[in-house]
Amino acid sequence: QVQLVESGGGLVQAGGSLRVSCADSGRTFSSYVMAWFRRAPGKEREFVSAISWNGGNTNYADSVKGRFTISRDNAKNTLYLQMNSLKPEDTAIYYCAAGLTSFEIATMHEETSYDYWGQGTQVTVSS
């Protein structure tokens, strides 16, 4: 069973950096495609980034490309999102998600590709 718990959120000034993590207490973490989504105040949840089971393939939303880096440590059952050059518009609740699926660029941005979700961690970027 997959249980995802995010951590590392907080308050940071614009231009700063933050790393959020997602830990899985189960035993099958390395079998899953993993992703980060976010929900900004008053907006729908949106795709941020995805990574294949072995970390060999990644995908990013245009809005974060070049600033955010997704990575995973299968030995630690942990997913990461390193966020640099943060902007106030990055303020959101960040969710990690796990999907028992193949890594396909065409579908990794879709919520329906994922089977399990964490509860989210708040990231606030002040101007």
Side-chain angles (χ1 to χ4, degrees), residues 20-114:
V20 291
S21 303
C22 171
D24 172 24
S25 60
R27 300 181 179 181
T28 57
F29 178 80
S30 61
S31 301
Y32 288 84
V33 170
M34 300 296 297
W36 289 99
F37 287 73
R38 67 185 182 186
R39 188 194 304 273
K43 296 186 177 180
E44 294 187 352
R45 188 158 57 185
E46 65 175 4
F47 171 77
V48 176
S49 184
I51 189 167
S52 59
W53 68 273
N54 64 354
N57 292 289
T58 58
N59 188 29
Y60 296 91
D62 288 342
S63 59
V64 306
K65 202 170 293 184
R67 300 188 298 122
F68 290 10
T69 303
I70 191 171
S71 63
R72 66 191 297 164
D73 186 336
N74 287 343
K76 296 182 178 180
N77 285 3
T78 303
L79 173 73
Y80 303 100
L81 184 68
Q82 177 67 44
M83 302 181 288
N84 299 328
S85 301
L86 282 161
K87 305 174 182 180
E89 51 263 44
D90 294 318
T91 295
I93 300 174
Y94 283 72
Y95 301 90
C96 65
L100 191 58
T101 181
S102 57
F103 185 89
E104 302 289 343
I105 294 294
T107 58
M108 289 298 94
H109 66 285
E110 298 175 355
E111 292 191 23
T112 53
S113 294
Y114 302 93

